[in-house]
């Protein structure tokens, strides 16, 4: 209570900056508690919960690093109005976020970490590991319709890895 969660920031900050899929009015409604979005029923959220252990295992094998359990919900002095819960932490002290990448998002990820995921990860890093990169791992599983429409758009490797270095200007905006 009284906190903005990193996941809430991931939704509303891009909208306020004009780069998300929502409006400034919707961001205001969420931030002021006038609207509470329940995303738990969305397919990508359900897939993300189910597939996170698989994504983590593959990431560890391919990267040769260990992942540690989440430290739970955290805040930090000077940022008492923000709380965050990471998916995991790397053995090198970085925040690690797993994402289930929906149908529209693979192209976004090809250009770099999408803004909403980047905001969430960097808010978490601000609280837990401000001088470390944020590690993102995504799993894209296109459905049959997507494969039929764009068969060449989906390579054989569904796992995407991106490390996003600390960006002081980006963290200032947060």
């Amino acid at each position: 209570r009284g906190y903005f969660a990193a996941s809430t920031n991931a939704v509303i900050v891009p909208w306020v900056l004009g780069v998300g899929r929502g409006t400034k009015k919707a961001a205001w409604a969420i931030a002021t508690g006038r609207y509470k979005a329940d995303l738990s029923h969305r397919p990508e959220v359900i897939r993300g919960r189910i597939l996170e252990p698989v994504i983590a295992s593959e990431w560890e094998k391919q990267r040769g690093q260990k992942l540690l359990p989440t430290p739970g919900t955290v805040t930090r002095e000077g940022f008492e109005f923000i709380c965050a819960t990471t998916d995991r932490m790397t053995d090198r002290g970085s925040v690690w976020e797993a994402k289930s990448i929906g149908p529209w998002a693979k192209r976004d990820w090809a250009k770099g970490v999408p803004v909403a995921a980047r905001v969430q990860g960097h808010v978490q890093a601000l609280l837990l590991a401000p001088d470390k990169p944020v590690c993102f791992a995504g799993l894209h599983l296109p459905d049959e319709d997507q494969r039929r429409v764009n068969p060449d758009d989906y390579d054989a490797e569904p796992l995407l890895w991106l490390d996003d270095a600390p960006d002081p200007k980006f963290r200032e905006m947060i």
Side-chain angles (χ1 to χ4, degrees):
R1 299 196 196 308
Y3 292 108
F4 276 114
S7 57
T8 302
N9 284 326
V11 172
I12 65 173
V13 170
W15 297 355
V16 170
L17 297 175
V19 292
R21 297 188 188 324
T23 65
K24 291 178 182 178
K25 186 174 182 180
W28 170 82
I30 291 170
T32 59
R34 287 171 172 75
Y35 175 75
K36 295 196 184 328
D38 177 16
L39 304 178
S40 63
H41 65 282
R42 294 185 56 145
E44 66 271 20
V45 174
I46 294 167
R47 279 195 311 265
R49 277 196 307 269
I50 294 168
L51 295 173
E52 182 183 321
V54 175
I55 297 169
S57 174
E58 285 301 309
W59 190 90
E60 287 179 322
K61 279 189 242 173
Q62 291 191 22
R63 298 289 298 266
Q65 293 181 330
K66 287 297 274 174
L67 292 172
L68 309 171
T70 178
T73 302
V74 298
T75 190
R76 185 176 132 197
E77 189 175 332
F79 297 95
E80 291 85 1
F81 57 94
I82 299 175
C83 68
T85 306
T86 67
D87 286 339
R88 310 223 178 162
M89 297 291 291
T90 72
D91 59 0
R92 297 177 184 171
S94 291
V95 166
W96 184 85
E97 269 298 309
K99 295 296 176 196
S100 170
I101 301 173
W104 53 266
K106 186 171 184 192
R107 285 190 183 100
D108 291 348
W109 276 79
K111 298 173 197 164
V113 180
V115 173
R118 192 171 186 218
V119 169
Q120 181 182 6
H122 281 275
V123 168
Q124 293 170 352
L126 182 67
L127 302 177
L128 288 159
D131 300 326
K132 304 277 186 181
V134 179
C135 300
F136 294 94
L139 178 64
H140 181 262
L141 297 172
D143 62 26
E144 200 53 44
D145 288 338
Q146 290 171 291
R147 286 191 181 110
R148 255 194 310 275
V149 173
N150 296 313
D152 297 331
D153 195 30
Y154 301 97
D155 51 31
E157 180 54 68
L159 295 161
L160 306 172
W161 320 115
L162 297 164
D163 289 348
D164 202 24
D167 181 345
K169 287 183 182 177
F170 186 80
R171 291 202 180 159
E172 261 181 43
M173 288 191 316
I174 295 171

